[in-house]
Every structure is written in structure tokens, then in C-alpha cells.
Amino acid sequence: MLKINKLYTSIKNKKILKNINLNIKNNEIHILMGPNGSGKSTLSYTITRKPYYNIIKGDIIFNKKKINKLSSDKISKLGIFLSFQNPIEIEGITMLNFLKNLKKNIKYKKILKYSKLLKINLDNLHRFFNLGFSGGEKKKNEILQLLILKPKLIILDEIDSGLDIDTIKIIFNILNYYFLNNKCSILIITHNTNIINYINPNLVHILNKGKIIFSGKKKIINYIEKYGYKFFNKKRICI
Amino acid sequence: MYLINSKIKIYKNFDINIIIFNNYLKSIYNNKKIKIKIINKNKYLYIYIKNINNKYINIKLLLNFYYFNIVTFLNKYIIKLKIDKKINLLLIEKYNLYGYNLLFNYNIIKLIVKRKSYIKYLKNINKEISLMNKIYIYQKESRIDIYDINIKNLNSNNFIFIKNYSNNCINNIYGIYILNKYQFLKNKIIYFNKFNNCKNNQKFISILNDYTKVILKGIININKNTRNNISYQNYKNYILSNNVYINIKPYLNIYSNNIKCTHGVNMGKIDNNIIYYLLSRGLNILKSKLLYYYSILYENIKDKNILYLIKNKIKKKIKECLIVKK
């Protein structure tokens, strides 16, 4: 579904990502981990073509289509959804109006149904977009948008940071349900090693200093928890 | 005269229609809960709205200005409005223009508001006219919200003077200016307070494009020995072109210690992170910018009735600004 070949990225002439190769197939869940400042969020922004995140070299291919030069809105329309680490606040537009703008002909009943699934306080729908919401409520709103847009590739940038256990369970239950009922792939960016309790990834990648230094099955998360990321810097291949 | 009369409209959803053109001032009203005293001289109108029942009543008043190119080069009207106790008044200015817009027009509106009244004043210039507007407000223990909206004016020069005559007065001024091409706007607001427990909130949002020129000045005066007064003054400016000229001077003249006061000016371009967020949700550039600007402007108009009246005009104007830019 998503193929990244030899990707080099820079922001204001500073090289961030160096030679990234990633292949996410249909119906696969991948986890991307790494120390702070290693370039995880940069990768997600590069895929969705945020301004000033320049591609120096390499290709991003989504469903056999090169998306290097497409704009963010076109990429979104192709079916890539990015859930933000820090969702923005917009004063002046209500949550409900915003959601109605996202998709034509979306019915209020459907929004209500999804909101109830996510246990969102229904009063929030009539409040300004994310304004004064708690961290958990903002993340739930991101998932609500995901359910409305129905994307093919979901990128979740630290969806579990700052959330209580109950909220994490609700979010991952819905994600699992969505994953099973729709043909899609998920890329989760996280620091949380307990994530394997909630979701079953096909592959785990470790990113350090702008490079994917290791890819393996989910058991490598146990090694991260035990030894930290330094363990993978020493190029131990047999795990 | 027949031609002019054929163009004049009376809006039935308003309790009082005041029609103003050339040397002619006409007033029509249809509400039995109020009593109106009118003095109508040449280009001078005095209206006293009296509450008969001594209960709270809601009134809608329309000041309907008509400008025809056949009149002389200077139109000057003086309107004095006196409002009795316990009246919730929605006051709307409407401008109708027929013919060329090179005329220079001059309006003076005096508002005298008695206790426990609430006035919502919508000053909406949505016709291409050159206008000098002076508003004097004298209030006693009442609340006045002014919505100053400049969208299509060619050359407008506004002056608002507010003076309190008792404690517990509230007045808010919300300005929305969406200008493009060669539009010019000059605004001066003076707030004068000698009493206690008064609130004054001034909030202005402008979106400026092309060669627009804007001069804004706000003065807050708070006298000695006053207590618990609150005053806010905030100007937000979004600039879409490098040729825009802005000159903003917020003033605070405070001679009292027991007061909460802030003033500030923000100037700049739109937040790219918000636009990127909206783009990443599948909205195209134009739609995401429109949504962003609406959200900025609606932040300033929290009254639903007022918002309903000006919503479409604002949408049209922002679209015009953005599409030309594109």
C-alpha cells in the first residue's frame, strides 16, 4: 500500500531523514519507535507533505501512485489520514460544523453514533473545535474524524500519549474494529512499549538519527523496554 | 420624487422603520408597547422611544439611509435617539445606494440610553460609499454592544465616543473589517469613564488585501478615584498583501489604581499549521482558508441574530479577497 524508497528529507536545509525504506502492505499494522528527535513525526509529516518538509531524494508511493509532488489535500483524498500529536484548536467554528465540512452528506445521526462509540461528551460537538478540550478529548476527536473520513492508510502520531488507560482501551478497541472491517493499513508512532497489549503489529521499526536502524517482529519491543534504544545501535542482528 | 418613492422599502419585521434621504426624513412604527416622540426638521431627526408598561420589551429599529446620485455633493444627517428604561433594542443601519458613489456623506448619531436597557447596534457599511460617521453614546447603567462592520465602503471615517453617566455600565465594540482593492478606513474610538464597576471591551479583527489603507485609534480614559473598572482593547490584523498600509494606536489613559486593563495589537499572516491541518483533512486550499477566516471572524460575533444578518455578506467578501489573490 505504502512504499518509501531511499527517502531523504530536510527542513530549512537541515537533513532530518536519511535513506528511509519502508514497505507497508495491505492489512498490515506497523509500529515506529525511536528516541525523541529521531525523526518519527518528520516522517509522518513528509508522507502527508507538510510545507517546508522538503524531499531531497527518494520516492513515496501510495497504491502504485507517486505522491511526492501532491498537495496535502490530494493526499488526504487518496486515503491517507494523519492523526496529529498535538491537534490544533480553532476558535469560532463548532466541532459539528467542522465535521460536516469534512464530508458532504454526512448525517448527524452518524456523527452521534460515532461519538457515542468513542464516549465523547455530546456537548463537545457544539463547542468550538478542540478549544479548552483535554488531551484525551482532542485525541478522541481525531479518531472521530478518522471514522468519518474512512481512510485506507492511517498514521497515528503518538495517539496514546497523555491518555488514561480507559481512553487508550476505547481508542484501540475502535481502531481494531475499524482495521478488521475495512481494508486498511496502520502506522503507529509511539513511545509506549505497552502498546502490544492493545494492538497486534506485523512489524516494528526503530528509527534513530533519521535512519531506520532495525525492523523486526513485535517481540523487539520487549528488548526496547529492557535495554533501551542503545541496544539496537550496536547492530545486533540475531534477535 | 416618484422614482425615489418606488425604491423605498418598509421592512415589516422591524418595529420602527426610519427612512432617510435627501431633505426627507420619514419614520414609521407599529408597536403598541412603546410611545414615540419625533421631531423632524430639515436633516435633523429626534426620536424618543418611551416604554409604557415599565416591563422589559424588545424592539427592532431600522435606520435606512438612501443615497441617490441626483442629490447635492454633501449629505449630512443628524439623528438623536433617546431610549427609555428597560428596552432591549436591536438597532440596524442600512445603506442603499443608487447611482454613482463619489458623494461624500456625513452622519451624526447620538444615542442616549437610560437605565436597564440593552442596545445592540449593527453598523454595517456594505455599499460602496464614502462616509463619515460620528456616533456619540451617553449611557446610564445599561449595556451597549456595537458591531462595526466595514466590508464595501470606499472611504470611511468613523468616530465613536462613549461616555458613562453612572456605575455599572457595559459597552462592547466589535469591529470586523474586510477590505481589498483601494478601500480606506479610519476609525477613532474614545471611551470616557468617571464611574465605578464599568466594563469596556473593544475587539477588532481585520483582513486586509491589495492596496488598502487602515488607520485605527482607540483611546480609553479612566478618571481618578474610580474602582473596579475593566477595559480590554485588542486589534487583530491578517494581511494578505505586501502593499497594505496599517497604522494602529491603542491608548490607555488611566489615572486610577483599582482597574483591570489590557491592550494589544497583533499583525501578521495566517497560521500555516492550521491551514496544513485542514488540508490534511481533505479540504482544498481555498476552502480551508475560507473556513479559517470565518472562524476568526465569527469569534468576534457571538450574538446569533447579528451573525445571521451578516453571515452571507462576510462569506462573499472573503471569497472575493481570496479568489483575487489566487
Side-chain angles (χ1 to χ4, degrees):
Chain A
M1 185 172 267
L2 181 78
K3 209 173 180 184
I4 298 173
N5 294 330
K6 295 173 186 173
L7 184 76
Y8 289 79
T9 324
S10 71
I11 308 167
K12 291 176 186 172
N13 295 327
K14 192 187 174 191
K15 280 183 186 174
I16 308 282
L17 298 179
K18 295 151 200 165
N19 197 14
I20 298 280
N21 290 297
L22 191 69
N23 189 5
I24 303 172
K25 289 174 188 167
N26 233 338
N27 289 328
E28 274 190 356
I29 298 174
H30 288 224
I31 291 179
L32 188 65
M33 297 181 92
N36 293 325
S38 56
K40 300 185 296 298
S41 295
T42 306
L43 180 62
S44 69
Y45 290 144
T46 312
I47 295 168
T48 51
R49 302 304 296 121
K50 188 175 181 177
Y52 308 115
Y53 286 68
N54 301 318
I55 297 174
I56 305 167
K57 244 200 279 183
D59 293 325
I60 306 169
I61 297 156
F62 179 68
N63 278 346
K64 295 174 185 173
K65 196 179 176 185
K66 212 174 166 183
I67 57 166
N68 284 22
K69 287 177 183 175
L70 290 183
S71 59
S72 304
D73 55 323
K74 281 174 186 162
I75 287 169
S76 169
K77 274 174 188 163
L78 285 176
I80 298 178
F81 179 88
L82 169 65
S83 159
F84 284 67
Q85 190 180 345
N86 300 311
I88 52 144
E89 297 176 350
I90 310 175
E91 199 177 344
I93 186 157
T94 60
M95 191 70 208
L96 194 65
N97 272 341
F98 180 82
L99 295 173
K100 280 179 181 172
N101 269 300
L102 287 188
K103 203 173 185 179
K104 277 181 184 175
N105 308 326
I106 181 90
K107 285 179 182 168
Y108 181 62
K109 273 185 185 175
K110 221 167 199 181
I111 296 172
L112 274 183
K113 187 188 151 190
Y114 293 145
S115 308
K116 281 174 187 169
L117 267 177
L118 281 160
K119 293 184 181 171
I120 292 173
N121 187 356
L122 296 181
D123 293 341
N124 287 1
L125 291 175
H126 302 283
R127 281 170 64 187
F128 287 141
F129 187 77
N130 281 344
L131 195 77
F133 285 22
S134 70
E137 283 173 325
K138 282 181 184 173
K139 295 282 165 75
K140 277 181 181 178
N141 283 345
E142 295 287 290
I143 303 299
L144 180 61
Q145 290 171 48
L146 182 153
L147 293 173
I148 288 166
L149 289 169
K150 291 194 173 163
K152 290 168 193 163
L153 175 71
I154 303 162
I155 304 167
L156 303 168
D157 192 358
E158 296 195 23
I159 191 75
D160 49 0
S161 66
L163 300 187
D164 63 85
I165 295 166
D166 293 335
T167 315
I168 291 176
K169 275 180 185 171
I170 291 167
I171 285 175
F172 279 100
N173 278 342
I174 287 166
L175 275 174
N176 281 321
Y177 178 80
Y178 182 84
F179 180 72
L180 291 171
N181 291 297
N182 296 281
K183 284 181 181 176
C184 71
S185 308
I186 303 176
L187 175 66
I188 303 171
I189 297 166
T190 186
H191 287 291
N192 186 1
T193 48
N194 292 329
I195 200 157
I196 40 171
N197 298 334
Y198 309 109
I199 209 154
N200 190 16
N202 299 77
L203 269 177
V204 178
H205 308 280
I206 293 163
L207 192 74
N208 198 2
K209 292 176 185 171
K211 285 177 185 173
I212 291 179
I213 54 167
F214 199 88
S215 297
K217 294 206 168 173
K218 68 176 180 182
K219 65 179 179 182
I220 65 166
I221 290 178
N222 298 330
Y223 289 90
I224 295 169
E225 202 169 5
K226 270 186 186 174
Y227 308 111
Y229 294 109
K230 283 178 188 173
F231 179 77
F232 297 93
N233 288 346
K234 291 170 187 171
K235 292 183 182 176
R236 289 162 203 265
I237 301 156
C238 308
I239 293 175
Chain B
M1 198 66 187
Y2 174 76
L3 257 173
I4 293 168
N5 277 338
S6 67
K7 278 167 185 170
I8 285 173
K9 283 179 191 173
I10 291 162
Y11 296 86
K12 285 181 181 175
N13 55 343
F14 284 87
D15 299 306
I16 308 164
N17 272 267
I18 296 167
I19 295 147
I20 303 144
F21 68 91
N22 200 10
N23 290 322
Y24 189 71
L25 289 157
K26 195 181 176 183
S27 58
I28 295 148
Y29 72 100
N30 50 1
N31 193 328
K32 288 175 183 175
K33 290 173 187 171
I34 51 168
K35 202 179 176 183
I36 297 181
K37 188 186 170 186
I38 296 170
I39 298 167
N40 187 356
K41 284 179 189 172
N42 188 17
K43 292 193 178 184
Y44 172 83
L45 185 72
Y46 170 80
I47 306 165
Y48 178 41
I49 304 170
K50 204 176 179 187
N51 189 349
I52 299 168
N53 299 334
N54 204 20
K55 286 177 187 171
Y56 282 97
I57 45 166
N58 300 320
I59 302 171
K60 284 182 181 178
L61 192 150
L62 181 71
L63 283 177
N64 211 345
F65 291 90
Y66 282 84
Y67 294 114
F68 298 90
N69 61 347
I70 47 171
V71 292
T72 48
F73 71 98
L74 182 74
N75 289 316
K76 187 182 173 184
Y77 301 118
I78 301 168
I79 297 154
K80 196 173 173 182
L81 261 169
K82 198 173 174 184
I83 292 138
D84 201 13
K85 287 174 198 170
K86 295 184 181 177
I87 290 177
N88 295 335
L89 179 75
L90 176 65
L91 172 63
I92 295 173
E93 266 183 33
K94 196 174 187 296
Y95 293 90
N96 303 285
L97 180 77
Y98 297 98
Y100 296 110
N101 46 44
L102 299 167
L103 308 169
F104 185 74
N105 306 296
Y106 185 33
N107 295 336
I108 298 174
I109 296 167
K110 282 186 184 178
L111 258 176
I112 299 156
V113 185
K114 288 194 176 179
R115 284 174 207 280
K116 292 176 186 173
S117 284
Y118 179 18
I119 280 93
K120 285 178 203 168
Y121 184 179
L122 175 61
K123 202 169 83 58
N124 181 11
I125 304 172
N126 60 344
K127 287 282 184 291
E128 292 182 359
I129 48 171
S130 298
L131 189 73
M132 189 167 173
N133 219 332
K134 283 190 176 182
I135 300 167
Y136 294 89
I137 294 167
Y138 306 98
Q139 63 177 123
K140 270 185 183 178
E141 212 179 320
S142 55
R143 177 175 170 173
I144 296 173
D145 292 353
I146 299 173
Y147 296 88
D148 181 18
I149 288 139
N150 278 262
I151 296 175
K152 276 193 171 179
N153 63 306
L154 271 186
N155 189 340
S156 102
N157 196 336
N158 298 323
F159 174 77
I160 300 172
F161 179 85
I162 302 163
K163 195 171 180 181
N164 296 342
Y165 277 97
S166 79
N167 297 336
N168 306 322
C169 289
I170 301 171
N171 44 60
N172 301 313
I173 303 171
Y174 303 106
I176 287 182
Y177 312 125
I178 311 165
L179 309 177
N180 67 344
K181 292 175 188 168
Y182 287 91
Q183 283 177 277
F184 172 79
L185 174 74
K186 192 178 177 184
N187 245 15
K188 190 177 178 183
I189 290 156
I190 300 176
Y191 170 68
F192 200 83
N193 185 17
K194 276 184 177 179
F195 293 88
N196 306 324
N197 304 324
C198 294
K199 284 180 188 173
N200 174 256
N201 187 9
Q202 297 176 18
K203 228 177 164 187
F204 304 91
I205 296 177
S206 51
I207 297 170
L208 310 169
N209 198 1
D210 301 334
Y211 292 88
T212 49
K213 201 172 177 184
V214 175
I215 300 164
L216 305 173
K217 198 173 177 182
I219 302 169
I220 292 175
N221 272 308
I222 289 162
N223 262 30
K224 266 182 187 177
N225 307 324
T226 55
R227 279 177 281 115
N228 299 330
N229 287 311
I230 300 171
S231 285
Y232 300 117
Q233 201 180 36
N234 189 13
Y235 296 88
K236 274 185 189 176
N237 304 287
Y238 295 87
I239 298 160
L240 307 181
S241 155
N242 292 332
N243 303 315
V244 171
Y245 174 86
I246 309 180
N247 185 356
I248 298 173
K249 288 176 185 170
Y251 280 95
L252 294 175
N253 296 334
I254 298 163
Y255 301 100
S256 160
N257 291 325
N258 193 353
I259 186 173
K260 278 182 194 171
C261 248
T262 61
H263 68 163
V265 179
N266 303 331
M267 244 181 253
K269 290 182 177 174
I270 51 174
D271 189 347
N272 280 329
N273 285 330
I274 293 178
I275 297 297
Y276 166 63
Y277 185 87
L278 297 171
L279 287 172
S280 75
R281 296 295 178 256
L283 303 172
N284 61 31
I285 290 177
L286 184 67
K287 206 174 176 185
S288 48
K289 278 185 180 175
L290 282 172
L291 197 72
Y292 179 48
Y293 284 125
Y294 297 154
S295 69
I296 292 161
L297 296 171
Y298 296 160
E299 183 192 317
N300 217 8
I301 311 166
K302 278 165 188 165
D303 190 276
K304 282 182 184 173
N305 294 330
I306 301 281
L307 186 65
Y308 177 76
L309 287 167
I310 55 169
K311 206 175 177 179
N312 291 334
K313 282 163 195 165
I314 286 178
K315 273 187 184 180
K316 244 186 193 177
K317 180 70 185 190
I318 299 176
K319 254 185 195 176
E320 192 188 310
C321 277
L322 291 176
I323 291 167
V324 168
K325 176 98 179 144
K326 202 182 167 188

